[in-house]
Amino acid sequence: MTDSVSLNVIGTIDSPYKEKFAIPRQPGIVTAAQGQLRLTGLANNAELVRGLEQFSHIWLLFIFHGTQAQGWKPLVRPPRLGGNKKLGVLATRSTFRPNPIGMSVVKLDRIEQQSSQVILHISELDLLDGTPIVDIKPYVPYADIIENAHGGYAQEQPSSNIDVIFSNAAHLTLTDNIGHCPTLQSLIEQVLSQDPRPAYKKNSKDDRIYGMTLYDFNINWQMTAIATLNVIAIEKIVSITKSIE
Ligand code: SAM
């Protein structure tokens, strides 16, 4: 490729998803996920979003910054196909694309200005914390909904029939933090009911204990039966601030 363009980052995402593992594979699946989009640089100006509050949903165009350094490949293995069949990268929503650009429709809950900072409160996102945003567009139902469209190998949202059970210790942490993080339990339930393990493990029991981070909590869990997932522990991450003497 000889031609190149450069894009300006216009905002950054604050997301409960602090690592790639366990992020839903598309937006709209985990409705309890809430985040913020902070406009940056010259785009941090309320005039740019004047009128946007009329729309319930917005398109976000973003950079897959978490995988960008790994480059791209012509063929990838979509998790939807069990991770064992290769397709052309442009026939998938893989992050390993010639240009690391993603697009997601998210719910726009409200727009706020905090002193000089413009913040878009969003939910139902599938974005890693710190994701750079390069464009925002209103979601326009008459143009963006296509009745009878064919979805190829991904026609339907993946079904989920997993029960998520919390240990007593995990329940205790949820109760202790209900004021600080009221949606944590629903977020954990919705994320885990998608079974975030590698695709080839789907519908199988597994002795391994997995860990994931949501907001400022480390969560350990195990698939104790084919359709039962046990949340073993939830621990609040304590940040250690060094005092400067
Ligand atoms: N909805 C977008 C699209 O279709 O372009 C993203 C789809 S991609 C299959 C979704 C996955 O991208 C998530 O499960 C997460 O692992 C990954 N992801 C989200 N934000 C990312 C980022 N900033 N950098 C790298 N990977 C990211």
mmCIF file with all atom_site columns, all heavy atoms in Angstrom, residues 20-21 23-27 62-67 93-95 101-104 126-128 131-132, ligand 1:
data_model
loop_
_atom_site.group_PDB
_atom_site.id
_atom_site.type_symbol
_atom_site.label_atom_id
_atom_site.label_alt_id
_atom_site.label_comp_id
_atom_site.label_asym_id
_atom_site.label_entity_id
_atom_site.label_seq_id
_atom_site.pdbx_PDB_ins_code
_atom_site.Cartn_x
_atom_site.Cartn_y
_atom_site.Cartn_z
_atom_site.occupancy
_atom_site.B_iso_or_equiv
_atom_site.pdbx_formal_charge
_atom_site.auth_seq_id
_atom_site.auth_comp_id
_atom_site.auth_asym_id
_atom_site.auth_atom_id
_atom_site.pdbx_PDB_model_num
ATOM   1   N N   . LYS A 1 20  ? -8.275  -7.125  27.488 1.00 0.00 ? 20  LYS A N   1
ATOM   2   C CA  . LYS A 1 20  ? -9.047  -7.640  26.344 1.00 0.00 ? 20  LYS A CA  1
ATOM   3   C C   . LYS A 1 20  ? -9.916  -8.839  26.723 1.00 0.00 ? 20  LYS A C   1
ATOM   4   O O   . LYS A 1 20  ? -11.030 -8.979  26.243 1.00 0.00 ? 20  LYS A O   1
ATOM   5   C CB  . LYS A 1 20  ? -8.069  -8.067  25.246 1.00 0.00 ? 20  LYS A CB  1
ATOM   6   C CG  . LYS A 1 20  ? -7.933  -7.064  24.131 1.00 0.00 ? 20  LYS A CG  1
ATOM   7   C CD  . LYS A 1 20  ? -7.319  -7.736  22.916 1.00 0.00 ? 20  LYS A CD  1
ATOM   8   C CE  . LYS A 1 20  ? -8.380  -8.457  22.118 1.00 0.00 ? 20  LYS A CE  1
ATOM   9   N NZ  . LYS A 1 20  ? -7.931  -9.435  21.167 1.00 0.00 ? 20  LYS A NZ  1
ATOM   10  N N   . PHE A 1 21  ? -9.347  -9.709  27.584 1.00 0.00 ? 21  PHE A N   1
ATOM   11  C CA  . PHE A 1 21  ? -10.057 -10.934 27.938 1.00 0.00 ? 21  PHE A CA  1
ATOM   12  C C   . PHE A 1 21  ? -11.416 -10.602 28.557 1.00 0.00 ? 21  PHE A C   1
ATOM   13  O O   . PHE A 1 21  ? -11.505 -9.759  29.440 1.00 0.00 ? 21  PHE A O   1
ATOM   14  C CB  . PHE A 1 21  ? -9.216  -11.755 28.924 1.00 0.00 ? 21  PHE A CB  1
ATOM   15  C CG  . PHE A 1 21  ? -9.885  -13.030 29.353 1.00 0.00 ? 21  PHE A CG  1
ATOM   16  C CD1 . PHE A 1 21  ? -10.199 -14.012 28.420 1.00 0.00 ? 21  PHE A CD1 1
ATOM   17  C CD2 . PHE A 1 21  ? -10.195 -13.250 30.677 1.00 0.00 ? 21  PHE A CD2 1
ATOM   18  C CE1 . PHE A 1 21  ? -10.823 -15.188 28.803 1.00 0.00 ? 21  PHE A CE1 1
ATOM   19  C CE2 . PHE A 1 21  ? -10.816 -14.429 31.074 1.00 0.00 ? 21  PHE A CE2 1
ATOM   20  C CZ  . PHE A 1 21  ? -11.137 -15.395 30.133 1.00 0.00 ? 21  PHE A CZ  1
ATOM   21  N N   . ILE A 1 23  ? -14.026 -9.139  27.223 1.00 0.00 ? 23  ILE A N   1
ATOM   22  C CA  . ILE A 1 23  ? -14.840 -8.069  26.613 1.00 0.00 ? 23  ILE A CA  1
ATOM   23  C C   . ILE A 1 23  ? -15.817 -8.733  25.643 1.00 0.00 ? 23  ILE A C   1
ATOM   24  O O   . ILE A 1 23  ? -15.420 -9.628  24.884 1.00 0.00 ? 23  ILE A O   1
ATOM   25  C CB  . ILE A 1 23  ? -13.955 -7.042  25.842 1.00 0.00 ? 23  ILE A CB  1
ATOM   26  C CG1 . ILE A 1 23  ? -12.900 -6.424  26.755 1.00 0.00 ? 23  ILE A CG1 1
ATOM   27  C CG2 . ILE A 1 23  ? -14.819 -5.948  25.226 1.00 0.00 ? 23  ILE A CG2 1
ATOM   28  C CD1 . ILE A 1 23  ? -12.016 -5.376  26.070 1.00 0.00 ? 23  ILE A CD1 1
ATOM   29  N N   . PRO A 1 24  ? -17.090 -8.348  25.648 1.00 0.00 ? 24  PRO A N   1
ATOM   30  C CA  . PRO A 1 24  ? -18.021 -8.966  24.685 1.00 0.00 ? 24  PRO A CA  1
ATOM   31  C C   . PRO A 1 24  ? -17.545 -8.728  23.250 1.00 0.00 ? 24  PRO A C   1
ATOM   32  O O   . PRO A 1 24  ? -16.820 -7.769  22.987 1.00 0.00 ? 24  PRO A O   1
ATOM   33  C CB  . PRO A 1 24  ? -19.349 -8.258  24.964 1.00 0.00 ? 24  PRO A CB  1
ATOM   34  C CG  . PRO A 1 24  ? -19.008 -7.031  25.716 1.00 0.00 ? 24  PRO A CG  1
ATOM   35  C CD  . PRO A 1 24  ? -17.740 -7.320  26.455 1.00 0.00 ? 24  PRO A CD  1
ATOM   36  N N   . ARG A 1 25  ? -17.944 -9.619  22.339 1.00 0.00 ? 25  ARG A N   1
ATOM   37  C CA  . ARG A 1 25  ? -17.406 -9.545  20.972 1.00 0.00 ? 25  ARG A CA  1
ATOM   38  C C   . ARG A 1 25  ? -18.130 -8.525  20.112 1.00 0.00 ? 25  ARG A C   1
ATOM   39  O O   . ARG A 1 25  ? -17.686 -8.224  18.995 1.00 0.00 ? 25  ARG A O   1
ATOM   40  C CB  . ARG A 1 25  ? -17.422 -10.929 20.328 1.00 0.00 ? 25  ARG A CB  1
ATOM   41  C CG  . ARG A 1 25  ? -16.479 -11.846 21.095 1.00 0.00 ? 25  ARG A CG  1
ATOM   42  C CD  . ARG A 1 25  ? -16.115 -13.110 20.384 1.00 0.00 ? 25  ARG A CD  1
ATOM   43  N NE  . ARG A 1 25  ? -15.132 -13.826 21.178 1.00 0.00 ? 25  ARG A NE  1
ATOM   44  C CZ  . ARG A 1 25  ? -15.361 -14.963 21.811 1.00 0.00 ? 25  ARG A CZ  1
ATOM   45  N NH1 . ARG A 1 25  ? -16.525 -15.549 21.717 1.00 0.00 ? 25  ARG A NH1 1
ATOM   46  N NH2 . ARG A 1 25  ? -14.419 -15.524 22.530 1.00 0.00 ? 25  ARG A NH2 1
ATOM   47  N N   . GLN A 1 26  ? -19.213 -7.987  20.603 1.00 0.00 ? 26  GLN A N   1
ATOM   48  C CA  . GLN A 1 26  ? -19.888 -6.875  19.916 1.00 0.00 ? 26  GLN A CA  1
ATOM   49  C C   . GLN A 1 26  ? -20.574 -6.002  20.969 1.00 0.00 ? 26  GLN A C   1
ATOM   50  O O   . GLN A 1 26  ? -20.812 -6.456  22.086 1.00 0.00 ? 26  GLN A O   1
ATOM   51  C CB  . GLN A 1 26  ? -20.924 -7.377  18.888 1.00 0.00 ? 26  GLN A CB  1
ATOM   52  C CG  . GLN A 1 26  ? -20.325 -7.941  17.600 1.00 0.00 ? 26  GLN A CG  1
ATOM   53  C CD  . GLN A 1 26  ? -19.468 -6.928  16.824 1.00 0.00 ? 26  GLN A CD  1
ATOM   54  O OE1 . GLN A 1 26  ? -19.616 -5.715  16.954 1.00 0.00 ? 26  GLN A OE1 1
ATOM   55  N NE2 . GLN A 1 26  ? -18.543 -7.433  16.014 1.00 0.00 ? 26  GLN A NE2 1
ATOM   56  N N   . PRO A 1 27  ? -20.914 -4.749  20.609 1.00 0.00 ? 27  PRO A N   1
ATOM   57  C CA  . PRO A 1 27  ? -21.656 -3.907  21.562 1.00 0.00 ? 27  PRO A CA  1
ATOM   58  C C   . PRO A 1 27  ? -23.104 -4.406  21.668 1.00 0.00 ? 27  PRO A C   1
ATOM   59  O O   . PRO A 1 27  ? -23.532 -5.225  20.861 1.00 0.00 ? 27  PRO A O   1
ATOM   60  C CB  . PRO A 1 27  ? -21.607 -2.525  20.899 1.00 0.00 ? 27  PRO A CB  1
ATOM   61  C CG  . PRO A 1 27  ? -21.448 -2.805  19.440 1.00 0.00 ? 27  PRO A CG  1
ATOM   62  C CD  . PRO A 1 27  ? -20.649 -4.076  19.339 1.00 0.00 ? 27  PRO A CD  1
ATOM   63  N N   . PHE A 1 62  ? -13.033 3.722   16.030 1.00 0.00 ? 62  PHE A N   1
ATOM   64  C CA  . PHE A 1 62  ? -11.941 3.759   17.006 1.00 0.00 ? 62  PHE A CA  1
ATOM   65  C C   . PHE A 1 62  ? -10.741 2.955   16.525 1.00 0.00 ? 62  PHE A C   1
ATOM   66  O O   . PHE A 1 62  ? -10.812 2.238   15.519 1.00 0.00 ? 62  PHE A O   1
ATOM   67  C CB  . PHE A 1 62  ? -12.445 3.230   18.365 1.00 0.00 ? 62  PHE A CB  1
ATOM   68  C CG  . PHE A 1 62  ? -12.917 1.801   18.352 1.00 0.00 ? 62  PHE A CG  1
ATOM   69  C CD1 . PHE A 1 62  ? -12.046 0.761   18.632 1.00 0.00 ? 62  PHE A CD1 1
ATOM   70  C CD2 . PHE A 1 62  ? -14.231 1.485   18.053 1.00 0.00 ? 62  PHE A CD2 1
ATOM   71  C CE1 . PHE A 1 62  ? -12.473 -0.554  18.618 1.00 0.00 ? 62  PHE A CE1 1
ATOM   72  C CE2 . PHE A 1 62  ? -14.682 0.165   18.030 1.00 0.00 ? 62  PHE A CE2 1
ATOM   73  C CZ  . PHE A 1 62  ? -13.793 -0.860  18.316 1.00 0.00 ? 62  PHE A CZ  1
ATOM   74  N N   . ILE A 1 63  ? -9.660  3.102   17.251 1.00 0.00 ? 63  ILE A N   1
ATOM   75  C CA  . ILE A 1 63  ? -8.429  2.377   16.932 1.00 0.00 ? 63  ILE A CA  1
ATOM   76  C C   . ILE A 1 63  ? -8.285  1.200   17.900 1.00 0.00 ? 63  ILE A C   1
ATOM   77  O O   . ILE A 1 63  ? -8.418  1.364   19.118 1.00 0.00 ? 63  ILE A O   1
ATOM   78  C CB  . ILE A 1 63  ? -7.189  3.318   17.070 1.00 0.00 ? 63  ILE A CB  1
ATOM   79  C CG1 . ILE A 1 63  ? -7.343  4.556   16.176 1.00 0.00 ? 63  ILE A CG1 1
ATOM   80  C CG2 . ILE A 1 63  ? -5.892  2.566   16.748 1.00 0.00 ? 63  ILE A CG2 1
ATOM   81  C CD1 . ILE A 1 63  ? -7.427  4.292   14.684 1.00 0.00 ? 63  ILE A CD1 1
ATOM   82  N N   . PHE A 1 64  ? -8.008  0.024   17.350 1.00 0.00 ? 64  PHE A N   1
ATOM   83  C CA  . PHE A 1 64  ? -7.749  -1.160  18.183 1.00 0.00 ? 64  PHE A CA  1
ATOM   84  C C   . PHE A 1 64  ? -6.340  -1.013  18.775 1.00 0.00 ? 64  PHE A C   1
ATOM   85  O O   . PHE A 1 64  ? -5.399  -1.708  18.380 1.00 0.00 ? 64  PHE A O   1
ATOM   86  C CB  . PHE A 1 64  ? -7.825  -2.428  17.322 1.00 0.00 ? 64  PHE A CB  1
ATOM   87  C CG  . PHE A 1 64  ? -9.229  -2.861  16.948 1.00 0.00 ? 64  PHE A CG  1
ATOM   88  C CD1 . PHE A 1 64  ? -9.622  -2.895  15.621 1.00 0.00 ? 64  PHE A CD1 1
ATOM   89  C CD2 . PHE A 1 64  ? -10.138 -3.263  17.918 1.00 0.00 ? 64  PHE A CD2 1
ATOM   90  C CE1 . PHE A 1 64  ? -10.894 -3.323  15.265 1.00 0.00 ? 64  PHE A CE1 1
ATOM   91  C CE2 . PHE A 1 64  ? -11.428 -3.693  17.572 1.00 0.00 ? 64  PHE A CE2 1
ATOM   92  C CZ  . PHE A 1 64  ? -11.799 -3.725  16.241 1.00 0.00 ? 64  PHE A CZ  1
ATOM   93  N N   . HIS A 1 65  ? -6.214  -0.087  19.702 1.00 0.00 ? 65  HIS A N   1
ATOM   94  C CA  . HIS A 1 65  ? -4.867  0.244   20.199 1.00 0.00 ? 65  HIS A CA  1
ATOM   95  C C   . HIS A 1 65  ? -4.215  -0.913  20.964 1.00 0.00 ? 65  HIS A C   1
ATOM   96  O O   . HIS A 1 65  ? -2.998  -1.006  21.028 1.00 0.00 ? 65  HIS A O   1
ATOM   97  C CB  . HIS A 1 65  ? -4.915  1.522   21.059 1.00 0.00 ? 65  HIS A CB  1
ATOM   98  C CG  . HIS A 1 65  ? -5.486  1.314   22.440 1.00 0.00 ? 65  HIS A CG  1
ATOM   99  N ND1 . HIS A 1 65  ? -6.736  0.776   22.659 1.00 0.00 ? 65  HIS A ND1 1
ATOM   100 C CD2 . HIS A 1 65  ? -4.972  1.564   23.674 1.00 0.00 ? 65  HIS A CD2 1
ATOM   101 C CE1 . HIS A 1 65  ? -6.958  0.723   23.960 1.00 0.00 ? 65  HIS A CE1 1
ATOM   102 N NE2 . HIS A 1 65  ? -5.904  1.191   24.585 1.00 0.00 ? 65  HIS A NE2 1
ATOM   103 N N   . GLY A 1 66  ? -5.049  -1.788  21.534 1.00 0.00 ? 66  GLY A N   1
ATOM   104 C CA  . GLY A 1 66  ? -4.503  -2.877  22.350 1.00 0.00 ? 66  GLY A CA  1
ATOM   105 C C   . GLY A 1 66  ? -3.856  -3.973  21.520 1.00 0.00 ? 66  GLY A C   1
ATOM   106 O O   . GLY A 1 66  ? -3.086  -4.779  22.053 1.00 0.00 ? 66  GLY A O   1
ATOM   107 N N   . THR A 1 67  ? -4.168  -4.044  20.216 1.00 0.00 ? 67  THR A N   1
ATOM   108 C CA  . THR A 1 67  ? -3.588  -5.108  19.385 1.00 0.00 ? 67  THR A CA  1
ATOM   109 C C   . THR A 1 67  ? -2.824  -4.538  18.191 1.00 0.00 ? 67  THR A C   1
ATOM   110 O O   . THR A 1 67  ? -2.227  -5.289  17.432 1.00 0.00 ? 67  THR A O   1
ATOM   111 C CB  . THR A 1 67  ? -4.709  -6.043  18.851 1.00 0.00 ? 67  THR A CB  1
ATOM   112 O OG1 . THR A 1 67  ? -5.758  -5.235  18.308 1.00 0.00 ? 67  THR A OG1 1
ATOM   113 C CG2 . THR A 1 67  ? -5.256  -6.932  19.930 1.00 0.00 ? 67  THR A CG2 1
ATOM   114 N N   . ARG A 1 93  ? -14.823 -9.400  11.897 1.00 0.00 ? 93  ARG A N   1
ATOM   115 C CA  . ARG A 1 93  ? -14.680 -8.190  12.714 1.00 0.00 ? 93  ARG A CA  1
ATOM   116 C C   . ARG A 1 93  ? -13.404 -8.286  13.563 1.00 0.00 ? 93  ARG A C   1
ATOM   117 O O   . ARG A 1 93  ? -13.305 -7.657  14.617 1.00 0.00 ? 93  ARG A O   1
ATOM   118 C CB  . ARG A 1 93  ? -15.903 -8.006  13.614 1.00 0.00 ? 93  ARG A CB  1
ATOM   119 C CG  . ARG A 1 93  ? -17.207 -7.778  12.863 1.00 0.00 ? 93  ARG A CG  1
ATOM   120 C CD  . ARG A 1 93  ? -17.200 -6.445  12.115 1.00 0.00 ? 93  ARG A CD  1
ATOM   121 N NE  . ARG A 1 93  ? -18.515 -6.114  11.625 1.00 0.00 ? 93  ARG A NE  1
ATOM   122 C CZ  . ARG A 1 93  ? -19.373 -5.300  12.248 1.00 0.00 ? 93  ARG A CZ  1
ATOM   123 N NH1 . ARG A 1 93  ? -19.045 -4.722  13.373 1.00 0.00 ? 93  ARG A NH1 1
ATOM   124 N NH2 . ARG A 1 93  ? -20.550 -5.062  11.720 1.00 0.00 ? 93  ARG A NH2 1
ATOM   125 N N   . SER A 1 94  ? -12.457 -9.089  13.121 1.00 0.00 ? 94  SER A N   1
ATOM   126 C CA  . SER A 1 94  ? -11.195 -9.260  13.853 1.00 0.00 ? 94  SER A CA  1
ATOM   127 C C   . SER A 1 94  ? -10.491 -7.921  14.084 1.00 0.00 ? 94  SER A C   1
ATOM   128 O O   . SER A 1 94  ? -10.614 -6.990  13.279 1.00 0.00 ? 94  SER A O   1
ATOM   129 C CB  . SER A 1 94  ? -10.281 -10.172 13.034 1.00 0.00 ? 94  SER A CB  1
ATOM   130 O OG  . SER A 1 94  ? -8.974  -10.111 13.535 1.00 0.00 ? 94  SER A OG  1
ATOM   131 N N   . THR A 1 95  ? -9.708  -7.873  15.138 1.00 0.00 ? 95  THR A N   1
ATOM   132 C CA  . THR A 1 95  ? -8.949  -6.647  15.431 1.00 0.00 ? 95  THR A CA  1
ATOM   133 C C   . THR A 1 95  ? -7.666  -6.561  14.584 1.00 0.00 ? 95  THR A C   1
ATOM   134 O O   . THR A 1 95  ? -7.068  -5.505  14.489 1.00 0.00 ? 95  THR A O   1
ATOM   135 C CB  . THR A 1 95  ? -8.561  -6.582  16.925 1.00 0.00 ? 95  THR A CB  1
ATOM   136 O OG1 . THR A 1 95  ? -7.681  -7.651  17.211 1.00 0.00 ? 95  THR A OG1 1
ATOM   137 C CG2 . THR A 1 95  ? -9.763  -6.719  17.819 1.00 0.00 ? 95  THR A CG2 1
ATOM   138 N N   . ILE A 1 101 ? -8.946  -0.318  12.590 1.00 0.00 ? 101 ILE A N   1
ATOM   139 C CA  . ILE A 1 101 ? -10.114 0.529   12.872 1.00 0.00 ? 101 ILE A CA  1
ATOM   140 C C   . ILE A 1 101 ? -11.304 -0.343  13.251 1.00 0.00 ? 101 ILE A C   1
ATOM   141 O O   . ILE A 1 101 ? -11.619 -1.314  12.556 1.00 0.00 ? 101 ILE A O   1
ATOM   142 C CB  . ILE A 1 101 ? -10.455 1.395   11.637 1.00 0.00 ? 101 ILE A CB  1
ATOM   143 C CG1 . ILE A 1 101 ? -9.319  2.381   11.389 1.00 0.00 ? 101 ILE A CG1 1
ATOM   144 C CG2 . ILE A 1 101 ? -11.782 2.125   11.823 1.00 0.00 ? 101 ILE A CG2 1
ATOM   145 C CD1 . ILE A 1 101 ? -9.507  3.249   10.167 1.00 0.00 ? 101 ILE A CD1 1
ATOM   146 N N   . GLY A 1 102 ? -11.941 -0.011  14.373 1.00 0.00 ? 102 GLY A N   1
ATOM   147 C CA  . GLY A 1 102 ? -13.143 -0.706  14.815 1.00 0.00 ? 102 GLY A CA  1
ATOM   148 C C   . GLY A 1 102 ? -14.327 0.232   14.750 1.00 0.00 ? 102 GLY A C   1
ATOM   149 O O   . GLY A 1 102 ? -14.167 1.466   14.687 1.00 0.00 ? 102 GLY A O   1
ATOM   150 N N   . MET A 1 103 ? -15.519 -0.353  14.740 1.00 0.00 ? 103 MET A N   1
ATOM   151 C CA  . MET A 1 103 ? -16.745 0.459   14.754 1.00 0.00 ? 103 MET A CA  1
ATOM   152 C C   . MET A 1 103 ? -17.782 -0.225  15.639 1.00 0.00 ? 103 MET A C   1
ATOM   153 O O   . MET A 1 103 ? -17.983 -1.436  15.552 1.00 0.00 ? 103 MET A O   1
ATOM   154 C CB  . MET A 1 103 ? -17.291 0.626   13.342 1.00 0.00 ? 103 MET A CB  1
ATOM   155 C CG  . MET A 1 103 ? -17.355 -0.664  12.561 1.00 0.00 ? 103 MET A CG  1
ATOM   156 S SD  . MET A 1 103 ? -17.886 -0.397  10.876 1.00 0.00 ? 103 MET A SD  1
ATOM   157 C CE  . MET A 1 103 ? -19.620 -0.671  11.099 1.00 0.00 ? 103 MET A CE  1
ATOM   158 N N   . SER A 1 104 ? -18.377 0.564   16.510 1.00 0.00 ? 104 SER A N   1
ATOM   159 C CA  . SER A 1 104 ? -19.360 0.023   17.447 1.00 0.00 ? 104 SER A CA  1
ATOM   160 C C   . SER A 1 104 ? -20.506 1.006   17.610 1.00 0.00 ? 104 SER A C   1
ATOM   161 O O   . SER A 1 104 ? -20.278 2.215   17.730 1.00 0.00 ? 104 SER A O   1
ATOM   162 C CB  . SER A 1 104 ? -18.735 -0.176  18.836 1.00 0.00 ? 104 SER A CB  1
ATOM   163 O OG  . SER A 1 104 ? -17.749 -1.176  18.798 1.00 0.00 ? 104 SER A OG  1
ATOM   164 N N   . ASP A 1 126 ? -18.301 -2.307  23.843 1.00 0.00 ? 126 ASP A N   1
ATOM   165 C CA  . ASP A 1 126 ? -17.412 -3.483  23.742 1.00 0.00 ? 126 ASP A CA  1
ATOM   166 C C   . ASP A 1 126 ? -15.963 -3.015  23.610 1.00 0.00 ? 126 ASP A C   1
ATOM   167 O O   . ASP A 1 126 ? -15.187 -3.599  22.869 1.00 0.00 ? 126 ASP A O   1
ATOM   168 C CB  . ASP A 1 126 ? -17.806 -4.366  22.533 1.00 0.00 ? 126 ASP A CB  1
ATOM   169 C CG  . ASP A 1 126 ? -17.698 -3.635  21.196 1.00 0.00 ? 126 ASP A CG  1
ATOM   170 O OD1 . ASP A 1 126 ? -17.603 -2.389  21.183 1.00 0.00 ? 126 ASP A OD1 1
ATOM   171 O OD2 . ASP A 1 126 ? -17.680 -4.311  20.149 1.00 0.00 ? 126 ASP A OD2 1
ATOM   172 N N   . LEU A 1 127 ? -15.607 -1.948  24.327 1.00 0.00 ? 127 LEU A N   1
ATOM   173 C CA  . LEU A 1 127 ? -14.315 -1.289  24.110 1.00 0.00 ? 127 LEU A CA  1
ATOM   174 C C   . LEU A 1 127 ? -13.403 -1.386  25.332 1.00 0.00 ? 127 LEU A C   1
ATOM   175 O O   . LEU A 1 127 ? -13.834 -1.209  26.474 1.00 0.00 ? 127 LEU A O   1
ATOM   176 C CB  . LEU A 1 127 ? -14.542 0.196   23.790 1.00 0.00 ? 127 LEU A CB  1
ATOM   177 C CG  . LEU A 1 127 ? -15.495 0.475   22.628 1.00 0.00 ? 127 LEU A CG  1
ATOM   178 C CD1 . LEU A 1 127 ? -15.769 1.960   22.518 1.00 0.00 ? 127 LEU A CD1 1
ATOM   179 C CD2 . LEU A 1 127 ? -14.912 -0.065  21.346 1.00 0.00 ? 127 LEU A CD2 1
ATOM   180 N N   . LEU A 1 128 ? -12.141 -1.587  25.020 1.00 0.00 ? 128 LEU A N   1
ATOM   181 C CA  . LEU A 1 128 ? -11.099 -1.638  26.041 1.00 0.00 ? 128 LEU A CA  1
ATOM   182 C C   . LEU A 1 128 ? -10.878 -0.242  26.636 1.00 0.00 ? 128 LEU A C   1
ATOM   183 O O   . LEU A 1 128 ? -10.983 0.765   25.912 1.00 0.00 ? 128 LEU A O   1
ATOM   184 C CB  . LEU A 1 128 ? -9.822  -2.123  25.335 1.00 0.00 ? 128 LEU A CB  1
ATOM   185 C CG  . LEU A 1 128 ? -8.560  -2.332  26.125 1.00 0.00 ? 128 LEU A CG  1
ATOM   186 C CD1 . LEU A 1 128 ? -8.746  -3.407  27.190 1.00 0.00 ? 128 LEU A CD1 1
ATOM   187 C CD2 . LEU A 1 128 ? -7.427  -2.759  25.166 1.00 0.00 ? 128 LEU A CD2 1
ATOM   188 N N   . THR A 1 131 ? -9.357  3.222   24.818 1.00 0.00 ? 131 THR A N   1
ATOM   189 C CA  . THR A 1 131 ? -9.509  3.170   23.349 1.00 0.00 ? 131 THR A CA  1
ATOM   190 C C   . THR A 1 131 ? -9.568  4.577   22.758 1.00 0.00 ? 131 THR A C   1
ATOM   191 O O   . THR A 1 131 ? -10.392 5.399   23.169 1.00 0.00 ? 131 THR A O   1
ATOM   192 C CB  . THR A 1 131 ? -10.793 2.385   22.983 1.00 0.00 ? 131 THR A CB  1
ATOM   193 O OG1 . THR A 1 131 ? -10.646 1.043   23.402 1.00 0.00 ? 131 THR A OG1 1
ATOM   194 C CG2 . THR A 1 131 ? -11.061 2.422   21.487 1.00 0.00 ? 131 THR A CG2 1
ATOM   195 N N   . PRO A 1 132 ? -8.721  4.864   21.753 1.00 0.00 ? 132 PRO A N   1
ATOM   196 C CA  . PRO A 1 132 ? -8.769  6.176   21.095 1.00 0.00 ? 132 PRO A CA  1
ATOM   197 C C   . PRO A 1 132 ? -9.920  6.229   20.076 1.00 0.00 ? 132 PRO A C   1
ATOM   198 O O   . PRO A 1 132 ? -10.069 5.322   19.263 1.00 0.00 ? 132 PRO A O   1
ATOM   199 C CB  . PRO A 1 132 ? -7.414  6.262   20.360 1.00 0.00 ? 132 PRO A CB  1
ATOM   200 C CG  . PRO A 1 132 ? -6.632  5.043   20.770 1.00 0.00 ? 132 PRO A CG  1
ATOM   201 C CD  . PRO A 1 132 ? -7.599  4.031   21.296 1.00 0.00 ? 132 PRO A CD  1
HETATM 202 N N1  . SAM B 2 .   ? -17.587 -3.753  17.387 1.00 0.00 ? 1   SAM B N1  1
HETATM 203 C C1  . SAM B 2 .   ? -16.231 -3.614  16.878 1.00 0.00 ? 1   SAM B C1  1
HETATM 204 C C2  . SAM B 2 .   ? -16.166 -3.884  15.390 1.00 0.00 ? 1   SAM B C2  1
HETATM 205 O O1  . SAM B 2 .   ? -16.997 -4.629  14.893 1.00 0.00 ? 1   SAM B O1  1
HETATM 206 O O2  . SAM B 2 .   ? -15.282 -3.304  14.761 1.00 0.00 ? 1   SAM B O2  1
HETATM 207 C C3  . SAM B 2 .   ? -15.275 -4.513  17.613 1.00 0.00 ? 1   SAM B C3  1
HETATM 208 C C4  . SAM B 2 .   ? -15.446 -5.968  17.342 1.00 0.00 ? 1   SAM B C4  1
HETATM 209 S S1  . SAM B 2 .   ? -14.086 -6.897  17.939 1.00 0.00 ? 1   SAM B S1  1
HETATM 210 C C5  . SAM B 2 .   ? -14.554 -8.528  17.460 1.00 0.00 ? 1   SAM B C5  1
HETATM 211 C C6  . SAM B 2 .   ? -14.475 -6.894  19.652 1.00 0.00 ? 1   SAM B C6  1
HETATM 212 C C7  . SAM B 2 .   ? -13.266 -7.242  20.463 1.00 0.00 ? 1   SAM B C7  1
HETATM 213 O O3  . SAM B 2 .   ? -12.289 -6.260  20.263 1.00 0.00 ? 1   SAM B O3  1
HETATM 214 C C8  . SAM B 2 .   ? -13.548 -7.233  21.944 1.00 0.00 ? 1   SAM B C8  1
HETATM 215 O O4  . SAM B 2 .   ? -13.996 -8.488  22.362 1.00 0.00 ? 1   SAM B O4  1
HETATM 216 C C9  . SAM B 2 .   ? -12.190 -6.894  22.538 1.00 0.00 ? 1   SAM B C9  1
HETATM 217 O O5  . SAM B 2 .   ? -11.483 -8.066  22.865 1.00 0.00 ? 1   SAM B O5  1
HETATM 218 C C10 . SAM B 2 .   ? -11.464 -6.203  21.397 1.00 0.00 ? 1   SAM B C10 1
HETATM 219 N N2  . SAM B 2 .   ? -11.197 -4.791  21.663 1.00 0.00 ? 1   SAM B N2  1
HETATM 220 C C11 . SAM B 2 .   ? -12.046 -3.831  22.093 1.00 0.00 ? 1   SAM B C11 1
HETATM 221 N N3  . SAM B 2 .   ? -11.417 -2.648  22.180 1.00 0.00 ? 1   SAM B N3  1
HETATM 222 C C12 . SAM B 2 .   ? -10.146 -2.871  21.769 1.00 0.00 ? 1   SAM B C12 1
HETATM 223 C C13 . SAM B 2 .   ? -8.996  -2.042  21.639 1.00 0.00 ? 1   SAM B C13 1
HETATM 224 N N4  . SAM B 2 .   ? -9.035  -0.736  21.907 1.00 0.00 ? 1   SAM B N4  1
HETATM 225 N N5  . SAM B 2 .   ? -7.840  -2.620  21.225 1.00 0.00 ? 1   SAM B N5  1
HETATM 226 C C14 . SAM B 2 .   ? -7.769  -3.943  20.932 1.00 0.00 ? 1   SAM B C14 1
HETATM 227 N N6  . SAM B 2 .   ? -8.825  -4.775  21.051 1.00 0.00 ? 1   SAM B N6  1
HETATM 228 C C15 . SAM B 2 .   ? -9.992  -4.251  21.459 1.00 0.00 ? 1   SAM B C15 1
#
